[in-house]
Amino acid sequence: PLFYKGWYHLFYQYNPNAAVWGHIVWGHAVSKDLIHWLHLPLAMAADQWYDKNGVWTGSATILHDGKIVMLYTGSTTEGVQVQNLAYPADHYDPLLVHWVKYPRNPVLVPPPGIGPNDFRDPTTAWLTSEGKWRITIGSKINKTGIALVYDTKDFINYEMLDGLLHAVPGTGMWECVDFFPVSETENNGLETSINGPRVKHVVKASLDDDRHDYYAIGTYNDRNGTWIPDRPNIDVGIGLRYDYGVYYAAKTFYDQNKKRRVLWGWIGESDSEAADVKKGWASVQSIPRTILFDKKTGTHLLQWPVEEIDSLRLKGKEFNQVRIQAGSVVPLDIDSATQLDIIAEFKIDSDALEKATGSSDASFDCATSGGAAERGALGPFGLLVLADERLSEQTPVYFYMTKGSDGNLKTFFCNDQSRSSKASDVDRHIYGSLVPVLRGENLSIRILVDHSIIESFGQGGRAVITSRVYPTKAIYGAAKVFLFNNATELNVTASLKIWQMNSAFIQPYPNL
């Protein structure tokens, strides 16, 4: 992704021949607002020996003079992963329709000790203090996930640094590595080359072994190209995730148009491949998210839908101070509930929190719990979305609180797909994580509902969960929204604003 001459661009892996993995080329779409998109002709085909088995993940870098270079991984005729250089045929074309591959590709091949299938996904380059460009590439050594580092002046010749950007034992292959700065003080994104006081750096890796995106915040050493996590106990691959649901291979870019860092993620399918083949398409992009350092916790990033998504809001409806008693379900009067933007805040009965008995075993895990049907003293409570009238289909988005024998509360943010569909070939996981809640904060959720996709943002985006669900009854006019409280000892008061959402406008670019 990048912003260039007034247009947002997204280049993406695409099989034009089938709704399954296979003949991978680069699709290309452009937008003025990150919401309404126009499809352009394919940007790059798998037509050279160095990318015959696929034009895979790459990254754009905007140079000092405003021109663009693109590095991407190609899978060769022998199935070896190599890095290739491409650039626009016409830098004056704001649509960047035509691309030229450097005639002497590849520019990088796997170094000694790295397997031919373990060398992929170059990052956007950033400037070093010496004025060189630096990139990192994902790999592994045995079961240790690593990020290799290279310096270049011209994107053709490269010097491999002795050390690694970072490595974490036991995490396996790192793919789609991302590296970017975040400000400890400002409320805007930072250009990729920014470094200095009050700037932290994020390392993110997509773990090929478990297909999740992990990140950590730490300190970058420009001199030797290494990075150290602030908290090793939540290092890359063993700690925090961008998203606790169906979300992978995410990438950020710096949007110089609005001075923000924008995160894109891929939402795969979670029904059967046979269903994909039948409908003729598979996978979607998430709603783009802005990404900021969470100054309150100092440990998390905050993700939030880009402001442009608000332009799709139609009529809204407010529900103020709705009391949800323990064990109850409250219907909300919404006309059609398949495309919604929901903002909800929950106030907890403080007396009930005080009275609740603490437990020496206050452990809880969304994934291994009984989901929204499992009743505890202080949860679950939240919303049921994409639910039918009889609740035979429902996807709960909710909080679950536990109290330790020391009196401390822990709050978990979960999505329960176990009853999301009557279909037999769908994923029924329960997703979620612990989410920090600071003193004085009410519990809050924002939910974007879009037919088969539910993107949920807990506590201002400290924890995010994307669910991919396939209701058979809770569709179109039959889809409903409910508040629920399955706690046994807790009354909750909810205030909500719910907007109907318009569809985005997506079609081919005219006359191309």
Side-chain angles (χ1 to χ4, degrees):
L2 74 155
F3 180 81
Y4 187 72
K5 292 187 184 298
W7 288 93
Y8 292 101
H9 291 256
L10 179 68
F11 300 90
Y12 56 94
Q13 292 185 36
Y14 175 56
N15 180 357
N17 303 321
V20 297
W21 178 262
H23 178 73
I24 299 301
V25 300
W26 271 22
H28 182 194
V30 292
S31 173
K32 285 287 187 180
D33 61 2
L34 288 170
I35 303 298
H36 303 285
W37 289 87
L38 298 166
H39 285 290
L40 291 171
L42 298 180
M44 282 196 276
D47 57 7
Q48 303 295 323
W49 71 267
Y50 50 77
D51 60 14
K52 196 71 173 173
N53 276 314
V55 181
W56 291 354
T57 299
S59 295
T61 299
I62 299 177
L63 305 179
H64 307 294
D65 59 5
K67 292 182 177 178
I68 297 168
V69 293
M70 193 79 80
L71 290 173
Y72 72 92
T73 299
S75 180
T76 72
T77 50
E78 303 297 318
V80 178
Q81 293 167 13
V82 299
Q83 311 315 318
N84 302 308
L85 172 64
Y87 38 85
D90 178 6
H91 283 283
Y92 295 102
D93 173 18
L95 296 179
L96 300 173
V97 174
H98 299 293
W99 288 79
V100 175
K101 296 176 185 177
Y102 176 58
R104 297 173 70 178
N105 277 334
V107 293
L108 278 171
V109 299
I114 297 298
N117 296 317
D118 304 328
F119 183 62
R120 58 184 176 270
D121 310 338
T123 59
T124 294
W126 67 95
L127 281 168
T128 69
S129 56
E130 295 181 334
K132 296 177 181 176
W133 290 101
R134 181 168 286 169
I135 63 166
T136 183
I137 296 173
S139 188
K140 69 175 180 179
I141 297 175
N142 297 320
K143 279 289 182 182
T144 297
I146 65 173
L148 302 161
V149 185
Y150 292 86
D151 283 357
T152 182
K153 292 181 178 177
D154 57 10
F155 289 87
I156 295 169
N157 302 288
Y158 293 82
E159 170 197 357
M160 184 177 175
L161 274 62
D162 290 337
L164 300 167
L165 180 71
H166 196 52
V168 180
T171 54
M173 177 67 196
W174 282 14
E175 55 183 9
C176 301
V177 174
D178 201 8
F179 176 79
F180 57 91
V182 289
S183 173
E184 291 185 295
T185 57
E186 298 177 31
N187 290 321
N188 54 272
L190 298 179
E191 195 275 327
T192 309
S193 297
I194 294 291
N195 198 4
R198 309 312 304 268
V199 171
K200 290 287 183 183
H201 278 79
V202 176
V203 171
K204 167 262 171 182
S206 300
L207 296 199
D208 196 24
D209 286 1
D210 74 3
R211 311 298 283 180
H212 297 308
D213 281 8
Y214 293 83
Y215 76 87
I217 299 166
T219 302
Y220 165 60
N221 184 327
D222 169 82
R223 186 179 52 79
N224 62 11
T226 61
W227 173 92
I228 299 169
D230 286 348
R231 292 168 175 77
N233 62 313
I234 50 172
D235 205 343
V236 182
I238 59 172
L240 303 175
R241 282 165 46 183
Y242 274 163
D243 192 297
Y244 290 86
V246 185
Y247 188 90
Y248 192 63
K251 177 167 179 57
T252 67
F253 76 103
Y254 178 67
D255 173 12
Q256 66 273 35
N257 181 39
K258 291 199 170 182
K259 295 182 170 47
R260 59 186 173 179
R261 184 156 290 274
V262 176
L263 174 70
W264 277 102
W266 166 57
I267 304 172
E269 304 295 319
S270 63
D271 59 354
S272 65
E273 192 171 278
D276 298 343
V277 171
K278 186 175 181 181
K279 70 177 182 279
W281 63 273
S283 304
V284 293
Q285 284 294 123
S286 67
I287 297 298
R289 306 170 183 173
T290 54
I291 200 163
L292 290 170
F293 177 72
D294 182 2
K295 289 180 273 193
K296 291 182 179 177
T297 63
T299 53
H300 286 59
L301 295 174
L302 297 175
Q303 301 171 59
W304 201 247
V306 292
E307 62 186 8
E308 289 90 339
I309 195 70
D310 298 0
S311 69
L312 294 179
R313 287 174 174 171
L314 300 171
K315 61 180 180 180
K317 205 164 188 179
E318 288 192 47
F319 302 85
N320 291 314
Q321 304 294 311
V322 181
R323 190 165 171 80
I324 327 164
Q325 293 186 313
S328 67
V329 176
V330 178
L332 296 175
D333 182 18
I334 301 294
D335 290 345
S336 175
T338 52
Q339 293 183 178
L340 298 176
D341 186 353
I342 302 170
I343 293 179
E345 188 171 89
F346 300 90
K347 288 185 179 176
I348 311 301
D349 182 341
S350 55
D351 290 344
L353 290 181
E354 285 293 325
K355 291 176 187 170
T357 306
S359 166
S360 58
D361 179 21
S363 61
F364 178 80
D365 184 332
C366 297
T368 57
S369 72
E374 179 176 306
R375 302 193 69 180
L378 306 178
F381 57 88
L383 289 120
L384 308 177
V385 295
L386 293 178
D388 67 337
E389 190 77 58
R390 297 187 174 186
L391 301 181
S392 65
E393 290 183 334
Q394 53 174 284
T395 303
V397 181
Y398 58 97
F399 291 107
Y400 193 105
M401 301 167 71
T402 62
K403 187 175 184 180
S405 50
D406 57 4
N408 288 332
L409 294 167
K410 287 185 177 178
T411 304
F412 299 83
F413 180 51
C414 314
N415 275 25
D416 180 357
Q417 296 186 162
S418 61
R419 290 166 291 166
S420 64
S421 176
K422 291 286 190 181
S424 60
D425 62 345
V426 299
D427 176 61
R428 302 189 186 280
H429 277 90
I430 301 160
Y431 295 120
S433 76
L434 180 72
V435 61
V437 179
L438 307 184
R439 184 178 297 277
E441 289 183 342
N442 287 327
L443 298 179
S444 65
I445 303 177
R446 183 175 181 182
I447 307 173
L448 298 176
V449 179
D450 187 14
H451 293 281
S452 69
I453 307 145
I454 302 164
E455 292 185 68
S456 306
F457 300 79
Q459 292 308 102
R462 263 180 215 144
V464 187
I465 309 170
T466 298
S467 286
R468 197 70 208 278
V469 299
Y470 305 89
T472 61
K473 296 178 181 294
I475 58 176
Y476 304 112
K480 310 287 182 188
V481 180
F482 298 83
L483 287 164
F484 82 98
N485 178 6
N486 232 355
T488 57
E489 300 177 22
L490 193 70
N491 294 326
V492 179
T493 302
S495 293
L496 307 90
K497 183 138 193 198
I498 303 178
W499 291 268
Q500 305 281 338
M501 295 292 275
N502 207 348
S503 293
F505 179 82
I506 301 171
Q507 67 175 43
Y509 196 95
N511 306 319
L512 270 182

